[in-house]
Amino acid sequence: MPITPLMPVYPRCGVRPVRGEGVYLYGERGEQYLDFAAGIAVNALGHGHPHLVKAIADQAATLMHVSNLYGSPQGEALAQRIIDVSFADTVFFTNSGVEAIECAIKTARRYHYANGNPQRTKLITFKNAFHGRSLGAISATDQAKMRDGFEPLLPGFDYVRFNDLEGALAAIDDETAGFLVETVQGEGGMTAGTPEFITGLRKACDEQGLLLILDEIQCGYGRTGKMWAYEHYGIEPDIMTVAKGIGAGFPLGACLATEEAAKGMVIGTHGSTYGGNPLAMAAGQAVLDVMLEPDFLPNVERMGERLRQAFEQLIPNHDHLFEEIRGRGLMLGIKMKEPAVSRDFVAHLRDNHGLLTVAAGENVFRMLPPLVIDESHIAECVERLSEGARTFAGPSDD
Ligand SMILES: Cc1ncc(COP(=O)(O)O)c(C=O)c1O
């Protein structure tokens, strides 16, 4: 068999979407899916949101790209708006999440270099973490499936169990630059950091001059019912990565930092041809226009609660399949009981019940719907899910 035109790195399923509308996707044959995957937590405004579509179309006709050789009124405006609603003093725009991670790692190293501590290069990261697929990002996770065959990887990462504060503190040494951690682990199994863990990391950073880097690429931008997941913990990071919801389908990411943490990122230390171009900035502005409407985040919180309650009622009826609910807001997962396998269940829901969800680690399946869902979508999801649970025959059924 010759290699496929698309490099065969993805186990693509039979769904071949050609159109989207709100919370629904339509395949080549016109079949409809309720999209509780949302491009893996990306399409925060659903598909074809008129305000986002118009902003992109208008900007494309006005000015799409100029490079970072020139002044950027569009970038300055979006950066300021993000700064106004976050801990940050400065923003570097990227085209993806993993580029934001690269920028965060570089910013942390340069911080200690600028402070006269160039030996502080190591980041303590966490088991089951997912930070993307660059060499830097796969070096920052212990997951063998992402690392195997790509060695030698970037040195300078220590891996500790997620939510193990004692282990994290014990891993600090003279070469430690800080912690890189998802506030809520997504791909790894939808586990929220415990308050003791997240606040404990913050405290250690304050006491020892280290940097707290939060990866909110999946859990930020309204996903948990607050603009940023760190707001649930009453702390602020020094550096944070965001992507996914920031462009709601337009490829955009950002690395946010305090003035202090970004002190080493001076002219010439970093760059990107496309990052922050006018088209991306217009998309980012349109997303914020919608997300900062007064009822947007409260609605995410309400819908998240409703969905969780519905799952809580569902679990006892299928307790041979489902173990527990994980996550926060509209970033929810259900852990399945062996021998049921979450990947098989995701395939079953998709192929037999028209419901799109995403598998995650630790035998969890994720629900990451557009943040604009209403009660009717929840009712439909729960109906399809309980039907799916009733008809699921087990591991071989997909
Ligand atoms: C927490 C987290 N970090 C980083 C990434 C990488 O982002 P991207 O795929 O846009 O490079 C992802 C993507 O799923 C993610 O969930």
Side-chain angles (χ1 to χ4, degrees), residues 73-215:
Q74 305 86 357
E76 285 163 11
L78 182 59
Q80 188 59 54
R81 212 166 167 199
I82 292 172
I83 288 165
D84 290 345
V85 296
S86 74
F87 75 98
D89 302 312
T90 191
V91 179
F92 182 88
F93 288 112
T94 66
N95 315 291
S96 67
V98 78
E99 290 167 87
I101 291 287
E102 290 291 325
C103 181
I105 296 170
K106 287 178 73 175
T107 303
R109 287 192 173 182
R110 281 290 294 202
Y111 169 77
H112 291 292
Y113 173 85
N115 275 348
N117 296 312
Q119 79 287 359
R120 287 205 174 274
T121 56
K122 290 202 313 198
L123 288 172
I124 296 170
T125 64
F126 295 89
K127 300 205 172 196
N128 267 346
F130 183 67
H131 300 295
R133 297 296 198 133
S134 67
L135 282 169
I138 62 174
S139 306
T141 180
D142 71 322
Q143 295 201 56
K145 64 182 180 194
M146 295 175 199
R147 300 166 52 101
D148 284 355
F150 294 112
E151 293 89 356
L153 296 179
L154 189 66
F157 295 93
D158 290 322
Y159 317 100
V160 175
R161 270 192 306 123
F162 187 66
N163 276 335
D164 174 8
L165 179 61
E166 218 173 289
L169 300 184
I172 297 172
D173 64 25
D174 293 347
E175 293 176 8
T176 303
F179 300 101
L180 168 60
V181 61
E182 291 159 86
T183 321
V184 183
Q185 276 196 341
E187 204 270 348
M190 303 295 264
T191 312
T194 61
E196 306 72 50
F197 177 64
I198 299 289
T199 56
L201 296 182
R202 175 70 272 171
K203 186 161 170 277
C205 287
D206 291 341
E207 288 171 358
Q208 303 190 47
L210 307 178
L211 296 170
L212 179 61
I213 307 173
L214 293 181
D215 179 349

Side-chain angles (χ1 to χ4, degrees), residues 38-55:
I40 318 188
V42 167
N43 303 99
L45 309 186
H47 300 282
H49 191 284
H51 185 63
L52 179 58
V53 170
K54 183 171 186 317

